[in-house]
């Protein structure tokens, strides 16, 4: 019987393995096994029909050793504290890999936002912001978009926080609309980062971009953007999948056309193309060179890992591969570029947005994208150096890179009191 997936236990397992590879004693990294702060809140919302409904929300700050906590807010019916704790920890490691001065945080509300009207969604967002107000701030903890949240929701959060302060505080959140201090390039940043990592991976293995076959699970702000950018750069997108199922076309999918179709709130199953419809498991198992899981956690697991035919996996989502699946993939010789490296483009440009807000300036999109590529390429090579130095996987290399930076910072700062 397959073990119930617990993302926090998954994170702890990899943390322990990487720390041992670094030769660390447990007292040197034990603080990373526990979040610094966990907040669970009850959120009362007046519904459109006049009834009162209570939603459960979370905000976790995993580490502030290298700077203020940073991490998204997700609205999902399956959100829970273990998931948010794991996501917060992954954010700590992601920020350290990207070498930006943040710690890790994450938040969520247990809700299916598709069941709410726009007014209900706004009232939920604003009440949640008020509930977590005591622990967030531009120098303390900076939220951002995540699953089922977007720039508009960040705008509501920014406005709510600002009303309590009595003046506009754009740097309280990132990923907000450009008109109120958002950064150009932020919307595409995570997907663009995935493409940058793919480019570096192929370069490292002496392979060309043109004609490289790619399959993507998740057609949102990460997978959908990555697929479109990669298509325009010369990659051949042969399979895609979303909540409705999968679609395969060995001759290649026109991602500009599909992206336009999906932007109108359509699903993959509704697309009329020359390919064939299938399940998301068929997409995972399809004949391709690069597989990009870019939806939720636990996409590649003990049940389907052995079916993967791709040579490379680039994790667009957070925690899409279980520990058990990792072992299977490694035996098959499949190279996995881990989430804490592959999808760090989003938090990197969030950092750029925060810096712009703090300084009262605005960068051009070209400046943002150039700085992002420089950061991502350096992070890729840093991780590769750790992996090759210990003759291990890129996941272990990324975790060793992150842990070493956080542990070093902790040693320098010492303990209080």
């Amino acid at each position: 019987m397959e073990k119930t997936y617990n993302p926090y236990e998954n994170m702890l397992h990899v943390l322990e393995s990487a720390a041992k590879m670094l030769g660390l004693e447990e007292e040197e990294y034990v603080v990373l096994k526990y979040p610094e702060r966990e907040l669970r809140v009850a959120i009362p919302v007046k519904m459109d029909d006049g009834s009162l409904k209570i939603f459960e929300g979370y905000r976790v700050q995993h580490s502030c050793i290298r700077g203020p906590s940073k991490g998204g807010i997700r609205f999902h019916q399956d959100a829970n504290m273990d998931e948010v704790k794991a996501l917060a920890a992954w954010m700590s490691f992601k920020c350290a890999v990207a070498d930006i001065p943040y710690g890790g945080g994450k938040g969520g509300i247990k809700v299916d936002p598709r069941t709410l009207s726009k007014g209900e969604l706004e009232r939920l967002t604003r009440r949640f912001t008020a509930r977590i107000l005591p622990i967030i701030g531009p120098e303390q903890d900076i939220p951002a978009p995540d699953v089922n949240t977007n720039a508009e929701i960040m705008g509501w959060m920014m406005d709510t926080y600002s009303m309590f302060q009595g003046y506009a505080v754009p740097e309280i959140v990132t990923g907000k609309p450009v008109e109120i201090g958002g950064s150009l390039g932020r919307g595409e940043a995570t997907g663009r980062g995935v493409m940058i990592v793919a480019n570096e991976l192929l370069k490292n293995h002496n392979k060309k971009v043109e004609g490289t076959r790619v399959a993507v699970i998740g057609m949102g702000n990460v997978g959908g953007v990555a697929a479109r950018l990669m298509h325009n750069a010369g990659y051949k997108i042969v399979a895609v999948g979303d909540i409705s199922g999968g679609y395969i076309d060995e001759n290649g999918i026109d991602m500009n056309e599909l992206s336009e179709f999906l932007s109108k709130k359509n699903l993959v199953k509704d697309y009329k193309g020359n390919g064939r419809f299938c399940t998301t498991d068929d997409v995972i198992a399809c004949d391709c060179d690069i597989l990009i899981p870019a939806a939720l956690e636990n996409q590649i697991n003990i049940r389907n890992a052995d079916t993967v035919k791709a040579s490379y996996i680039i994790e667009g989502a957070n925690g899409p591969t279980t520990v058990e699946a990792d072992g299977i993939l490694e035996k098959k010789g499949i190279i996995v570029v881990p989430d804490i490296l592959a999808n760090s483009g989003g938090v990197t440009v969030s950092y750029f947005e925060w810096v712009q807000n703090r300084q009262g300036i605005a960068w051009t999109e070209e400046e943002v994208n150039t700085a992002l590529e420089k950061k991502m390429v350096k992070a890729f090579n840093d991780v590769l150096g750790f992996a090759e130095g210990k003759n291990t996987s890129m996941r272990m290399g990324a975790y060793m890179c992150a842990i070493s930076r956080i542990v070093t910072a902790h040693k320098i700062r010492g303990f209080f009191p």
Side-chain angles (χ1 to χ4, degrees):
M1 184 176 177
E2 187 177 346
K3 181 182 175 183
T4 302
Y5 174 72
N6 183 311
Y8 198 68
E9 290 180 2
N10 203 78
M11 182 280 297
L12 288 174
H13 178 91
V14 182
L15 168 64
E16 291 277 5
S17 299
K20 287 177 182 175
M21 281 192 178
L22 284 169
L24 298 176
E25 298 294 330
E26 185 176 18
E27 67 177 26
E28 295 180 272
Y29 67 89
V30 68
V31 294
L32 299 180
K33 294 168 69 174
Y34 305 93
E36 292 180 7
R37 184 177 288 112
E38 302 174 34
L39 178 63
R40 187 189 306 262
V41 296
I43 312 161
V45 176
K46 184 75 75 174
M47 309 302 284
D48 289 345
D49 63 5
S51 64
L52 186 69
K53 189 169 182 180
I54 308 297
F55 296 88
E56 185 168 87
Y58 319 93
R59 186 68 185 177
V60 173
Q61 296 165 350
H62 174 259
S63 171
C64 297
I65 292 170
R66 284 172 47 88
S69 299
K70 187 79 187 75
I73 304 284
R74 65 174 48 186
F75 291 176
H76 197 275
Q77 60 272 22
D78 296 327
N80 59 69
M81 185 59 88
D82 277 336
E83 176 190 59
V84 174
K85 284 167 58 179
L87 290 164
W90 286 326
M91 283 301 301
S92 292
F93 304 137
K94 190 182 301 184
C95 292
V97 165
D99 202 16
I100 54 180
Y102 283 147
K106 208 74 177 186
I109 300 176
K110 194 177 186 66
V111 61
D112 182 352
R114 296 171 298 179
T115 65
L116 304 182
S117 70
K118 185 172 180 177
E120 290 168 340
L121 187 62
E122 180 175 354
R123 292 193 292 276
L124 174 67
T125 300
R126 289 182 180 277
R127 177 65 71 142
F128 174 66
T129 306
R131 283 286 198 249
I132 66 172
L133 198 74
I135 68 167
I136 62 172
E139 296 174 338
Q140 185 176 1
D141 185 359
I142 307 109
D146 196 66
V147 175
N148 293 328
T149 56
N150 56 23
E152 182 176 43
I153 288 172
M154 292 304 106
W156 294 334
M157 292 192 73
M158 175 257 183
D159 181 70
T160 304
Y161 184 90
S162 297
M163 289 302 100
F164 279 94
Q165 300 303 312
Y167 53 88
V169 189
E171 62 268 35
I172 180 56
V173 296
T174 58
K176 55 192 173 292
V178 173
E179 294 81 359
I180 55 171
S183 175
L184 294 170
R186 175 61 184 88
E188 290 189 342
T190 311
R192 184 175 294 279
V194 169
M195 181 181 70
I196 292 168
V197 164
N199 293 344
E200 290 303 304
L201 183 66
L202 293 183
K203 187 188 302 182
N204 186 258
H205 287 85
N206 298 313
K207 295 183 181 296
K208 293 181 179 180
V209 164
E210 290 71 19
T212 295
R213 299 164 302 156
V214 180
V216 184
I217 297 287
M219 286 287 102
N221 290 334
V222 181
V225 170
R228 176 174 54 79
L229 293 175
M230 293 173 80
H231 166 79
N232 292 333
Y235 289 87
K236 181 188 283 189
I237 312 301
V238 295
V240 298
D242 66 6
I243 193 171
S244 70
Y247 177 80
I248 294 176
D249 187 344
E250 289 86 354
N251 294 317
I253 301 167
D254 184 340
M255 283 307 306
N256 292 317
E257 180 180 280
L258 179 57
S259 294
E260 176 66 20
F261 178 77
L262 296 176
S263 71
K264 298 173 182 175
K265 297 187 177 180
N266 293 309
L267 296 170
V268 165
K269 71 178 179 61
D270 303 314
Y271 182 62
K272 301 293 189 287
N274 297 319
R276 66 183 188 276
F277 296 100
C278 59
T279 67
T280 50
D281 273 347
D282 292 329
V283 175
I284 288 171
C286 79
D287 191 10
C288 64
D289 302 304
I290 297 175
L291 173 62
I292 302 175
L296 294 170
E297 304 88 41
N298 193 26
Q299 294 171 67
I300 302 175
N301 48 54
I302 197 169
R303 178 180 56 82
N304 59 21
D306 201 43
T307 70
V308 175
K309 296 184 181 68
S311 301
Y312 312 105
I313 293 175
I314 300 176
E315 295 184 334
N318 292 310
T321 310
T322 66
V323 169
E324 295 82 5
D326 249 347
I328 295 170
L329 297 171
E330 193 166 355
K331 286 179 183 177
K332 287 167 65 74
I334 297 171
I335 294 172
V336 179
V337 182
D339 48 3
I340 62 173
L341 167 60
N343 68 30
S344 63
V347 73
T348 299
V349 176
S350 277
Y351 168 62
F352 297 161
E353 180 178 331
W354 181 76
V355 168
Q356 291 171 73
N357 292 160
R358 302 285 281 176
Q359 295 182 348
I361 59 175
W363 300 356
T364 66
E365 189 165 358
E366 183 181 2
E367 288 174 319
V368 170
N369 290 340
T370 299
L372 171 63
E373 182 162 11
K374 184 177 179 179
K375 273 284 192 186
M376 294 291 296
V377 169
K378 182 180 185 302
F380 181 90
N381 288 313
D382 288 347
V383 167
L384 190 64
F386 272 92
E388 291 180 342
K390 293 288 186 178
N391 191 29
T392 188
S393 68
M394 288 198 72
R395 188 182 308 283
M396 286 296 110
Y399 270 77
M400 285 190 289
C401 176
I403 293 167
S404 65
R405 285 173 176 167
I406 298 171
V407 167
T408 297
H410 200 208
K411 286 179 178 177
I412 292 170
R413 289 184 58 169
F415 286 90
F416 176 85

